[in-house]
Amino acid sequence: MTCDYITLATTGVQGLHPYQAGKPIEELEREYGVSNAIKLASNENPLGASPLVTQALQSGFKDLTRYPDSNGFALKKSIAALHHVEMDTITLGNGSNDILELIARAYLTSNDSVVYSEHAFVVYPLVTQAVGAKHIVTPAKNWGHDLEAMQAAICEDTRLVFIANPNNPTGTWLKSAELKQFLDNVPEEILVVIDEAYAEYVEEDDYPNCIEWLSEYPNLIITRTFSKAYGLASLRMGYAIANKAITNILNRVRQPFNGNSFALLAAEAALADQDFLAESIRVNKEGMTYLTQQFDEMQLSYIPSVGNFISVNVGRTGGEVYEELLHEGVIVRPVANYKMPNYLRITIGLPEENQRLIAALQKVLAKLTA
Ligand SMILES: *Cc1c(COP(=O)(O)O)cnc(C)c1O
């Protein structure tokens, strides 16, 4: 090979690193020779998905050979009814990560800059870098987004702002009033993406329903996903809600069949089972209470979270504790790549999984400090 195919890639892409996903259970069992491993690493729903989803998937087999409905009519209809929006404000994505990439591809060039926060979801730097746009990373405040700093960071060439509410991996969230004040101060030609991947879990009174703000702020793009509370991470389905012009643009760059038929059917069925969603939220809340109580007893500090995960300070390099936990058959997520080297992000599991995590963590920390 005489040609360097790395340096042939665009400058932005050359600066990328492949996304590090949570370790799959099968991989751990294969590599470490453990069995009955549990995974609390990727913020998946420990209850699985609604039984209605399983039923819906069965009905998909008869059309296995057909292309999906490229416009996702039935699912968009359900989403529109849920949020009281019009169907032509919805863009479906192959997971909401797909949407984030569509936004970057449609609106950013190497002449533009993007503002996002320190400790914010890793896909924002990824999609920004991929199109060669400039990164403006603002310091966090109490681990969360510092909206004043973000506003001050906006400059001449800023085209886009990414905000995760709540944020992953910190679990921090922004209140209605502060977010509204921020939006009031952002010029209309700068797009503001509010990533609400964990919105379903948040029960705080002053957590905003940003979808209701769309008519007031035409530069808003709200993204949601079926991967978390709805339990459909394997199928890849997410969506954006934005004004009709932005939606039109996103649909121009979207691959025609980015949402597969099974994902479309499953997502529609998942929306129809709001009882399952309520139960998922209940189990999460209970698990969160248990874990934080245990961390308090173990004198481990953590970042209070409104999501289905919590980042805990293990008092030493997270990667080291992560490795030891793998030997105990427990997969969590080290977050050194988020500039949180002493933290582990732990997804709230079923009660027995949470208990196993705590027992393993106690054992591992005792061993490492001995
Ligand atoms: C998990 C997550 C997503 C969604 O991922 P998809 O599976 O692609 O829908 C989006 N944003 C944040 C902050 C997340 O944590």
Side-chain angles (χ1 to χ4, degrees):
M1 213 159 66
T2 53
C3 189
D4 183 350
Y5 293 100
I6 299 290
T7 54
L8 273 187
T10 60
T11 314
V13 171
Q14 282 184 52
L16 284 176
H17 301 282
Y19 177 81
Q20 293 285 331
K23 197 184 240 332
I25 289 179
E26 295 71 24
E27 185 180 304
L28 173 71
E29 295 186 342
R30 191 170 66 233
E31 291 177 357
Y32 286 67
V34 297
S35 52
N36 301 316
I38 60 168
K39 182 183 175 204
L40 301 173
S42 301
N43 303 344
E44 296 143 341
N45 187 333
L47 291 178
S50 158
L52 296 187
V53 166
T54 321
Q55 262 177 44
L57 289 173
Q58 296 300 328
S59 75
F61 283 104
K62 68 180 190 313
D63 293 323
L64 191 59
T65 196
R66 305 270 175 217
Y67 276 106
D69 173 6
S70 168
N71 289 317
F73 179 84
L75 176 58
K76 279 189 193 168
K77 201 163 170 226
S78 297
I79 293 170
L82 177 74
H83 295 304
H84 312 289
V85 296
E86 290 180 66
M87 283 172 69
D88 52 6
T89 63
I90 302 167
T91 308
L92 299 180
N94 193 278
S96 58
N97 283 339
D98 185 26
I99 302 277
L100 299 174
E101 205 206 333
L102 296 180
I103 296 168
R105 204 135 54 82
Y107 283 101
L108 298 175
T109 70
S110 55
N111 297 324
D112 303 314
S113 68
V114 176
V115 173
Y116 58 88
S117 172
E118 184 184 29
H119 313 305
F121 187 43
V122 68
V123 172
Y124 313 152
L126 204 153
V127 299
T128 301
Q129 178 71 29
V131 295
K134 290 169 249 180
H135 308 249
I136 299 177
V137 189
T138 56
K141 189 167 101 188
N142 298 325
W143 297 104
H145 293 48
D146 181 344
L147 291 180
E148 280 173 24
M150 293 182 83
Q151 194 200 316
I154 289 175
C155 56
E156 196 79 343
D157 61 11
T158 302
R159 171 67 52 228
L160 186 74
V161 179
F162 282 117
I163 292 174
N165 195 30
N167 183 47
N168 168 21
T170 57
T172 50
W173 61 287
L174 295 162
K175 295 178 182 175
S176 258
E178 49 183 340
L179 196 48
K180 218 161 199 299
Q181 192 188 0
F182 173 79
L183 291 170
D184 283 334
N185 288 310
V186 176
E188 272 192 10
E189 66 273 16
I190 299 177
L191 300 175
V192 179
V193 178
I194 314 255
D195 177 346
E196 299 188 338
Y198 303 94
E200 292 84 1
Y201 289 110
V202 189
E203 295 188 305
E204 271 65 14
D205 286 338
D206 36 7
Y207 177 71
N209 182 347
C210 291
I211 295 168
E212 287 175 357
W213 297 353
L214 276 167
S215 54
E216 207 174 332
Y217 303 106
N219 53 338
L220 260 188
I221 305 178
I222 292 136
T223 63
R224 294 281 189 114
T225 182
F226 289 95
S227 300
K228 308 288 160 59
Y230 286 106
L232 302 182
S234 67
L235 287 166
R236 318 302 304 128
M237 181 54 68
Y239 58 96
I241 303 185
N243 78 50
K244 292 175 190 188
I246 293 175
T247 305
N248 179 313
I249 286 293
L250 296 182
N251 277 285
R252 294 184 197 186
V253 286
R254 179 178 71 80
Q255 281 187 34
F257 306 107
N258 64 337
N260 74 73
S261 304
F262 288 90
L264 290 169
L265 285 169
E268 198 190 341
L271 284 182
D273 195 346
Q274 292 289 316
D275 289 343
F276 176 83
L277 183 68
E279 176 65 3
S280 301
I281 293 162
R282 190 191 64 75
V283 167
N284 184 64
K285 199 171 190 170
E286 236 176 59
M288 183 69 87
T289 303
Y290 169 77
L291 286 184
T292 52
Q293 278 169 355
Q294 295 297 312
F295 294 153
D296 286 340
E297 279 179 30
M298 294 164 74
Q299 297 187 332
L300 296 176
S301 68
Y302 52 85
I303 306 169
S305 166
V306 293
N308 66 339
F309 56 87
I310 184 160
S311 285
V312 60
N313 187 336
V314 290
R316 55 173 55 243
T317 312
E320 194 183 6
V321 180
Y322 163 75
E323 260 307 316
E324 289 295 331
L325 285 172
L326 290 180
H327 289 280
E328 302 298 320
V330 177
I331 312 170
V332 297
R333 195 66 165 267
V335 282
N337 60 327
Y338 285 98
K339 293 212 282 176
M340 298 164 64
N342 287 1
Y343 281 78
L344 289 175
R345 190 195 68 196
I346 294 163
T347 303
I348 313 303
L350 297 172
E352 54 272 27
E353 293 175 324
N354 299 332
Q355 284 161 18
R356 245 190 88 186
L357 174 269
I358 291 295
L361 190 58
Q362 284 170 342
K363 181 176 164 187
V364 162
L365 289 178
K367 180 180 157 193
L368 287 172
T369 47

